[in-house]
Amino acid sequence: MKPILFMKRICKKTAKTILPSNLYQKARSVYHRTSLPPIQTIEYAYPKSQKLPFGVNLFCYCTDNSAGTEAHLLQLALEASKVPYQIVDLSRPEKFEKEIKQVQLYYINLIVCHAASGTPAKLRLFGIDPMKHYNIGYWAWEVSVLPDVFCAGLDIFQEIWTMSAFCTNTLEKKARVPVLTIPLYANPDRTVLKNGREYFKFSPNAFLFMIAYDCTSFVSRKNPQAAVQAFMQAFAPEDEQVGLVLKLSYPDNYKQHIEELLKLLAPYKNVYYIDSRLSDNEMRTLLHTVNTYVTLHRGEGFGLVPLEAMSLGTPVISTEYMNHMNTALVGYDLVPVNGEYVGSKQGDGMVWAEPHVDEAAEHMRRMVHDEQWRKKLIEHGKRTAECYSVHKMILQKGAFFMWFDTILWLAAIVAFIAVEAATTALVSVWFAVGAA
C-alpha cells in the first residue's frame, strides 16, 4: 500500500505542476468524487436528492470587519452571476427564527466561516440539517498547518472553497473533499471623497505610510510592531517630510498594545491614529490618500486590504507572500508560533513568518526617494487588481471559453485517469516481479 500511496503523491505533484490551476482543480474535484472510497469517519455524506430549489443560502457575518467584507464581496458575485440567493446572518440566529425560517431555503449552503469557528455547531444553532443541502465552506486559514482540533468542521462539506492557493494547500492536507481556490476580488466601487488629506486632517505635503488591522484578528499575526519599527529605523523623528497613519478596528480590549505603539511614535511629528469606524467610502479614501500601504504580517490568508490599495493606485510593502512585480516584498525567517495564534500551543511545530525589519525600512526609504520604482509598482498593482475583478471573472466565461474550457477539462481528466491507471499497473508489475 505504501508504494501505491507514494506513486499517487508523485502523480498528484506532476499533474499540479503541468496543468493550469483551474484545470487541476477540476480534475482533482472529479477524481475525489469518482475515485475515493467511502470514508467511514465522515459524519455527513452527499445529499441523496435535490428537493430544494436551486440557489444559495449565504451564511455569513453581517459585520463591519473583514468577515463582513468577504460576505459582501461574495454577495456581489452572486448578484453578478444572477444566482438566486438569500443571506443568513451567523451573528443573529434570532433574526433567522423570526424572518427567514418561514422562507424556503435553497439547495446550496455557502458558509463563510473561519476554520476555527465551529461551523457544525453554528448550523445546529440555526436548526439546519446539512443532509438536506449541498454544503460549501468558504474558509480562510493564515498559517501552513491546520490543527487537528479544527478538522471535525471539515466533515459537513461536500466542497471547500478558499481565498488563495496558500489556504488551499493547507486545507487539502486534512480535507477528504475537493478544496478549490476561489479568490476574492477588489471591490469594483472606486469612488473616493475629494480632498482626502483635508478630510482626515493630514499634513498636505508629508509622504504618508499606512498600517491598518483588526485587533480581534490576532495582533500577533498582523504584527504592526514590525511596521512601526521599520518606520522608526527608516526615518528620524525630526523628519517632517514623512508620516505614519495607524488605522485600527475594535481596539477597545487592546489599550496596552496601542499605548505601547503610540509611546514609541511619540517623538515623531506626523503620526495619525484612527480608531473610529469608517464607511466603505471613507476607507477607500484613506487608502487612496496615503502614499504607501504597509503590512508586515506573520501569516495571511489572502490580503484583501493590500489588493484594495493596489486597485486605488497605492503601492504596497508586504511580507514576501505576494508578487515582486506588484509589491515591495520583505523577506522573512520562519519562527515557531508558540501559542500566539488560535489552535497553537508551545512546541507544536507550527511556524509563521518573522519579517526582516531592516529590509522593510530600506523599502520605505526607497518609496520616498525612487519615484520611478514607485510608479512601476503602482502600474503593476493596478493590473493585478484588474485580474481580481468580479466582472472580468464573469465576462471571460463567454460561450467560446466555456466550450474551450470544457474540452481542456475533459482532456485533463483523461490524462489524470490514464496516469493513475498506469501507476497502478506499474505497481502491480513491481509486486508480481518481486513475488516471482
Side-chain angles (χ1 to χ4, degrees):
M1 180 60 83
K2 287 185 178 180
I4 295 175
L5 292 175
F6 173 75
M7 294 302 292
K8 282 190 174 183
R9 290 193 192 101
I10 295 295
C11 289
K12 178 182 174 182
K13 288 183 179 179
T14 303
K16 194 170 186 178
T17 301
I18 65 175
L19 293 177
S21 176
N22 62 327
L23 298 183
Y24 170 76
Q25 297 282 5
K26 290 178 179 179
R28 186 176 183 275
S29 175
V30 171
Y31 173 73
H32 269 275
R33 291 170 185 267
T34 58
S35 302
L36 287 179
I39 303 170
Q40 301 300 324
T41 56
I42 287 185
E43 181 180 354
Y44 301 107
Y46 288 88
K48 295 181 180 179
S49 62
Q50 181 177 339
K51 296 180 181 178
L52 298 172
F54 173 76
V56 173
N57 309 307
L58 179 60
F59 288 82
C60 58
Y61 290 94
C62 299
T63 56
D64 57 359
N65 58 11
S66 57
T69 302
E70 294 162 15
H72 178 61
L73 292 175
L74 288 173
Q75 179 185 354
L76 291 178
L78 289 169
E79 289 176 356
S81 303
K82 296 181 169 35
V83 174
Y85 75 95
Q86 58 190 347
I87 293 176
V88 181
D89 188 351
L90 286 168
S91 61
R92 297 187 60 189
E94 72 283 356
K95 182 178 179 181
F96 177 78
E97 286 285 340
K98 292 178 181 178
E99 300 177 18
I100 304 178
K101 199 170 184 179
Q102 310 304 322
V103 180
Q104 186 178 34
L105 292 174
Y106 292 116
Y107 178 59
I108 299 170
N109 288 334
L110 178 56
I111 305 166
V112 186
C113 271
H114 192 282
S117 60
T119 307
K122 285 284 185 184
L123 290 184
R124 286 195 295 271
L125 184 64
F126 282 82
I128 293 173
D129 181 5
M131 285 295 292
K132 295 180 180 179
H133 301 268
Y134 189 90
N135 304 292
I136 302 173
Y138 196 80
W139 278 18
W141 189 251
E142 289 84 3
V143 291
S144 60
V145 176
L146 178 66
D148 290 338
V149 67
F150 300 135
C151 290
L154 301 171
D155 294 350
I156 70 166
F157 298 113
Q158 282 73 53
E159 290 182 30
I160 295 173
W161 296 354
T162 76
M163 304 174 190
S164 64
F166 177 83
C167 295
T168 296
N169 290 336
T170 298
L171 289 175
E172 71 177 358
K173 295 173 187 175
K174 299 291 181 74
R176 299 298 303 270
V177 297
V179 182
L180 310 178
T181 304
I182 311 292
L184 290 172
Y185 54 91
N187 194 318
D189 189 347
R190 302 282 193 274
T191 58
V192 296
L193 301 172
K194 292 182 179 180
N195 303 318
R197 295 214 171 200
E198 183 179 333
Y199 181 83
F200 288 109
K201 298 184 170 71
F202 292 160
S203 167
N205 300 315
F207 190 102
L208 296 178
F209 296 88
M210 174 179 166
I211 307 167
Y213 58 99
D214 181 345
C215 292
T216 63
S217 189
F218 286 86
V219 171
S220 58
R221 179 177 68 83
K222 293 296 186 180
N223 197 25
Q225 300 92 330
V228 169
Q229 289 168 6
F231 178 81
M232 294 173 63
Q233 188 170 317
F235 309 107
E238 59 271 15
D239 188 350
E240 297 187 18
Q241 295 183 2
V242 296
L244 183 64
V245 178
L246 294 107
K247 171 63 183 82
L248 278 65
S249 301
Y250 302 101
D252 294 345
N253 296 324
Y254 298 86
K255 292 182 179 179
Q256 182 178 351
H257 158 72
I258 296 164
E259 288 173 359
E260 290 172 358
L261 288 185
L262 294 179
K263 185 176 180 180
L264 288 173
L265 292 166
Y268 288 81
K269 305 298 182 184
N270 298 316
V271 174
Y272 304 94
Y273 173 71
I274 302 172
D275 63 0
S276 57
R277 183 190 179 280
L278 300 183
S279 67
D280 291 344
N281 200 7
E282 287 174 318
M283 189 63 187
R284 283 194 299 273
T285 302
L286 184 59
L287 283 169
H288 178 69
T289 298
V290 299
N291 301 99
T292 300
Y293 181 77
V294 184
T295 171
L296 300 185
H297 52 263
R298 290 189 169 110
E300 192 61 84
F302 181 71
L304 186 58
V305 177
L307 183 63
E308 294 281 0
M310 290 180 200
S311 74
L312 295 163
T314 300
V316 175
I317 297 174
S318 170
T319 308
E320 196 172 326
Y321 282 122
M322 301 179 77
N323 187 321
H324 74 281
M325 294 296 292
N326 58 35
T327 310
L329 296 179
V330 177
Y332 60 88
D333 299 316
L334 289 176
V335 299
V337 177
N338 280 338
E340 293 191 59
Y341 191 58
V342 59
S344 172
K345 43 187 184 178
Q346 290 282 345
D348 59 5
M350 194 181 292
V351 295
W352 59 13
E354 188 62 63
H356 300 156
V357 172
D358 292 352
E359 188 176 357
E362 183 180 339
H363 285 330
M364 286 183 171
R365 285 190 290 267
R366 188 178 178 187
M367 279 288 183
V368 175
H369 301 295
D370 192 340
E371 184 178 0
Q372 185 176 358
W373 177 64
R374 189 171 69 249
K375 286 182 177 179
K376 184 177 179 181
L377 289 176
I378 291 171
E379 179 185 349
H380 286 293
K382 285 183 176 180
R383 290 179 184 173
T384 298
E386 288 173 3
C387 293
Y388 286 89
S389 160
V390 62
H391 298 295
K392 188 168 184 178
M393 287 180 181
I394 293 168
L395 288 173
Q396 71 183 5
K397 290 295 183 182
F400 169 77
F401 290 98
M402 289 292 287
W403 279 107
F404 184 69
D405 198 42
T406 301
I407 293 170
L408 289 178
W409 171 44
L410 292 173
I413 293 171
V414 170
F416 201 75
I417 293 173
V419 171
E420 286 283 336
T423 302
T424 304
L426 183 63
V427 172
S428 299
V429 171
W430 182 14
F431 278 118
V433 170

